[in-house]
Amino acid sequence: CVIDTLNLWTGGFDYNWYNTTDTSFVIANAEQLAGFGAIVGGMNGQTQDSFKDKTVKLICDINLGDKESENKSNLIFYPIGYTNNAGNYTKVSGGSVTSTVNSFEGTFNGQGHTIANFYQNTWEMFGDYNDGYSGTPNHYKDAMGLFGYVNGGTVKNLTVDHFSSDGEFTPTGVIAAYADGDSTFENIAITNCNPRVYNT
């Protein structure tokens, strides 16, 4: 299938493709990709799964619906593999929030497909960074990109197009902000991406 430019991600999540017994899964749309991110992150009430010894295959191009530097539809797509103890995909509302590393440890096979049009902004996401002015943790600073933390995992056969970010003190990578434990990245294309990071 090809990327759907009309029915963009509207912030929904689909977990029906996932179960705790299978070791191979397919993702076909933005809602399922968002659900995948929530499962790896242990967000939205999902039990965290690193997908160790499991494979996730992308069978369609995915359009996440936001690009450049304006999050017009207020969509928050957190990096896959980082989360916060607020535990949901939502904008900053203040209060004490700390981040947790939940790494992706499986295989993500894009099968030649594209994930396009997502924007991340530290000041729009729950986070634990205190800017020194408000005295209250107020924005996210831990990881920007499609994956936040890949630990011994593999990401391959994937194009990321039109990823843009604005971050402060924020490790950023279009594919992954952090990679550890002999992680591998194979046959990756990055096009029209504009990650921006300040003060780091």
Side-chain angles (χ1 to χ4, degrees), residues 67-68 113-118 158-164 174-175 188-195:
K67 63 181 181 179
E68 304 306 334
H113 292 289
T114 297
I115 296 173
N117 299 335
F118 66 107
L158 178 68
T159 295
V160 172
D161 181 60
H162 279 106
F163 162 66
S164 184
V174 174
I175 304 300
I188 300 290
I190 296 170
T191 57
N192 305 307
C193 292
N194 187 24

Side-chain angles (χ1 to χ4, degrees), residues 58 108-114 155-159 186-188:
L58 196 61
F108 185 85
N109 187 349
Q111 300 194 128
H113 292 289
T114 297
V155 181
K156 62 183 181 180
N157 305 325
L158 178 68
T159 295
E186 307 167 7
N187 193 25
I188 300 290

Side-chain angles (χ1 to χ4, degrees), residues 125-152:
M125 301 159 72
F126 267 117
D128 57 4
Y129 175 64
N130 185 336
D131 62 10
Y133 297 99
S134 66
T136 301
N138 65 347
H139 77 255
Y140 178 90
K141 66 173 179 59
D142 297 295
M144 289 289 193
L146 180 62
F147 287 85
Y149 200 140
V150 179
N151 185 11

